[in-house]
Amino acid sequence: DIDGKIYEGLPIKRDSKIKASVTIMNGCNNFCSYCIVPYVRGRERSRQPRDIIEEVKKIAKEGYKEITLLGQNVNSYLVSEDWKGKGLEYKGINSFATLLREINKIDGIERIRFVSPHPKDFTDDVIDAIANCEKVCKLVHLPLQSGSTNILKIMNRRYTKEQYLLLVEKIKKAIPDISLTTDIIVGFPGETEEDFQETLELVKEVGYSSAFTFIYSRRNNTPADMMLNQVSEEDKHHRFN
């Protein structure tokens, strides 16, 4: 991905002979108030389905058994208008769910993972694809960041605590053996002890298999960096512990 364009066919160095990562999109449109990614990587750009499928088929022939689909927000994968209608053999692939179903058909690949989805874009068709595709691992990384609706709004996450819990309920109902992991930021600007307790309560309610927990760190020129109500280092570390 160079200068806002995606260049295909460049050599890829892989460390493992069994597991391989495949980028399906670049950039991000979300502009979470703590994150610098949209400013340095640009807006979302999805790769063409033909290029993704051919790459997966190639690495399957090379003996790879497990692939991880990568993107800043994989479930916002969307085929652009200028691609629709081209390559008739791939005309049905127009979303992340349809991409998962197509990759599930590829011989040689035994396990399919993906990171990271965004809760606001986790649609029913994606849940159905995970449930029905036998090669897609029944593990979903579902970043929370905070269990407080107030903090989520300041973070510009574009979902509430209640909406997140409804999504978790829907996923668990459709995929009873699912394992959920998450990301959590503690000490975000303006986070009160009450906000933090809401996060703890939500963690207990969901029952994650694991969580990547981070102390909020400032990123220059992001909206959160300019907020005046920064949490003290003492409170940040206390909550983290």
Side-chain angles (χ1 to χ4, degrees):
D1 182 7
I2 305 171
D3 297 329
K5 296 180 182 179
I6 296 176
Y7 292 85
E8 299 290 349
L10 298 176
I12 299 173
K13 182 179 183 298
R14 304 187 193 277
D15 295 326
S16 169
K17 296 296 183 183
I18 299 173
K19 302 178 182 180
S21 297
V22 176
T23 298
I24 66 169
M25 62 182 302
N26 302 89
C28 184
N29 291 350
N30 291 315
F31 290 92
C32 298
S33 61
Y34 52 80
C35 185
I36 200 71
V37 167
Y39 304 99
V40 296
R41 296 187 184 175
R43 295 300 184 94
E44 290 175 354
R45 299 171 303 284
S46 296
R47 293 178 65 195
Q48 294 180 356
R50 172 191 291 155
D51 296 320
I52 298 170
I53 298 301
E54 289 182 355
E55 181 177 345
V56 175
K57 287 181 176 178
K58 180 176 182 293
I59 61 180
K61 288 180 180 178
E62 292 172 355
Y64 289 90
K65 301 300 181 185
E66 177 178 312
I67 63 163
T68 299
L69 305 178
L70 299 179
Q72 198 67 31
N73 180 15
V74 289
N75 52 340
S76 67
Y77 175 84
L78 188 65
V79 178
S80 62
E81 287 296 332
D82 60 354
W83 167 251
K84 291 176 182 177
K86 298 179 182 179
L88 294 178
E89 69 272 34
Y90 300 111
K91 68 178 181 178
I93 306 175
N94 55 13
S95 65
F96 184 56
T98 52
L99 181 67
L100 279 178
R101 292 182 183 277
E102 192 66 25
I103 293 175
N104 190 68
K105 301 174 185 176
I106 297 175
D107 292 336
I109 297 298
E110 297 177 5
R111 291 178 298 280
I112 303 168
R113 304 181 188 274
F114 57 87
V115 288
S116 286
H118 195 295
K120 73 176 178 61
D121 296 322
F122 216 108
T123 51
D124 291 348
D125 59 345
V126 173
I127 296 173
D128 290 342
I130 298 169
N132 297 324
C133 293
E134 71 279 3
K135 296 179 183 178
V136 176
C137 295
K138 303 306 183 268
L139 183 150
V140 170
H141 185 69
L142 196 63
L144 169 66
Q145 308 305 1
S146 174
S148 162
T149 293
N150 176 53
I151 296 300
L152 289 170
K153 183 177 181 180
I154 301 172
M155 287 178 166
N156 194 35
R157 290 292 290 171
R158 290 187 275 178
Y159 54 83
T160 64
K161 172 180 70 174
E162 291 76 18
Q163 289 170 330
Y164 185 94
L165 287 171
L166 284 173
L167 174 61
V168 168
E169 181 181 357
K170 186 182 293 186
I171 292 173
K172 287 184 174 182
K173 184 176 181 180
I175 316 166
D177 57 342
I178 195 74
S179 292
L180 294 173
T181 61
T182 197
D183 295 333
I184 296 170
I185 297 173
V186 299
F188 186 79
E191 183 187 65
T192 65
E193 187 61 30
E194 290 74 19
D195 292 323
F196 176 66
Q197 290 301 321
E198 285 193 68
T199 298
L200 287 184
E201 290 167 8
L202 192 148
V203 167
K204 292 175 183 176
E205 183 172 348
V206 174
Y208 298 105
S209 298
S210 66
F212 298 90
T213 310
F214 306 91
I215 293 174
Y216 168 71
S217 59
R218 300 170 77 162
R219 294 291 181 267
N220 289 340
N221 301 315
T222 58
D225 178 49
M226 302 176 209
M227 294 176 185
L228 299 178
N229 52 350
Q230 301 290 325
V231 175
S232 71
E233 291 300 315
E234 181 182 358
D235 284 343
K236 284 182 186 179
H237 284 83
H238 175 71
R239 293 170 189 175
F240 178 80
N241 290 337

